[in-house]
């Protein structure tokens, strides 16, 4: 990448609720008190799954980047493992923002949030709750649980219910969660079973790294009821929506309807699938657009 500046990466942890979240802080060298963008991933994913690629580009442009992993996943704390709680994940975002505001090596007054997929929905919710932020990026965002359930299909959705019942019973007994695959092949029982879902997840895992393809089944009803796109109209700062025209997981038609309600929204669409955003030419196009947007609104130098 031309005209980029060097940066350093630091292992960081911060407290959220009853546990801690692990994170990477990317600091551009030679920049005093840089602005910062906080990055959170999608459904059950961890920061190792290509958040580093985006963070590196932001840091090379003079913007500090803080990529974290939600509690209950990866190397972050939290018991039980693989618990996907929307309430807890949003609390993790709040804790990440508080942590950044308390640091003396970044400018806590120039902060943006960046989320992808399920995290893209969270980014909308978080931006609506934190008017002090200067910008937000919502990439291939999950915006409407009902729309995503329809994309999965009624028959596939019904097949999840026995697992939900067993997991709720396990929670009542204090037993380990009953889990569902996050992604599976077409026709399989999984939270996502579009043709590109499982290979898409697998393509994001670095060589030699491990990834637990599972989440506690109790999350299914809350995912269906979660409609973060409705908060777009309450986002008081510039927000960039990066939307896949061929999204098999988060239907673009509904996402675009919500995006158009954001008072200061900017929308860019891409001829790439939901899982193609992280690699190759789609990634290059996306990250260039995002660097331009963040540089403009964070007044990065």
């Amino acid at each position: 990448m031309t005209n980029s500046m060097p940066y350093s990466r630091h292992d960081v942890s911060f407290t959220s609720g009853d546990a801690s979240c692990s994170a990477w802080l990317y600091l551009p060298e030679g920049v005093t008190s840089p602005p910062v963008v906080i990055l959170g991933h999608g459904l059950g994913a961890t920061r190792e799954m290509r958040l580093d690629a985006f963070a590196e580009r932001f840091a090379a442009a003079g913007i500090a980047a803080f990529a974290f992993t939600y509690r209950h996943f990866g190397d972050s704390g939290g018991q039980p493992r693989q618990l996907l709680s929307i309430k807890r994940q949003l609390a993790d975002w709040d804790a990440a923002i508080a942590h950044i505001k308390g640091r003396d090596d970044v400018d806590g007054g120039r902060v943006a949030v960046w989320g992808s997929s399920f995290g893209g929905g969270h980014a909308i919710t978080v931006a609506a709750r934190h008017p002090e932020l200067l910008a937000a990026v919502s990439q291939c965002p999950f915006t409407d649980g009902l729309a995503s359930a329809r994309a999965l299909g009624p028959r596939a959705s019904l097949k999840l219910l026995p697992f939900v019942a067993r997991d709720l019973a396990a929670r009542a007994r204090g037993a380990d969660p009953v889990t569902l695959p996050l992604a599976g092949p077409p026709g399989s029982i999984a939270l996502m079973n579009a043709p590109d879902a499982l290979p898409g997840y697998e393509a994001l895992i670095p060589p030699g790294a491990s990834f637990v393809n599972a989440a506690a089944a109790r999350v299914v009803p809350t995912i269906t009821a979660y409609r973060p796109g409705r908060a777009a109209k309450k986002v008081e700062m510039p927000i960039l929506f990066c939307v896949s025209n061929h999204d098999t997981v988060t239907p673009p038609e509904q996402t675009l309807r919500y995006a158009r309600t954001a008072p200061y929204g900017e929308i860019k669409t891409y001829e790439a699938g939901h899982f193609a955003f992280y690699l190759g030419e789609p990634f290059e196009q996306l990250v260039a657009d995002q660097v331009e947007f963040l540089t403009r609104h964070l007044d990065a130098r």
Side-chain angles (χ1 to χ4, degrees), residues 160-181:
L160 303 180
L161 297 182
F163 291 85
V164 175
R166 288 167 51 203
D167 188 35
L168 292 174
R171 182 176 66 180
R173 298 193 310 271
D176 291 338
V178 175
T179 62
L180 284 165

Side-chain angles (χ1 to χ4, degrees), residues 53-77:
F54 287 91
E56 288 166 3
R57 293 298 183 88
F58 299 150
I63 301 168
F66 189 72
F68 74 94
T69 298
Y70 300 108
R71 282 178 289 170
H72 307 281
F73 291 89
D75 61 350
S76 289

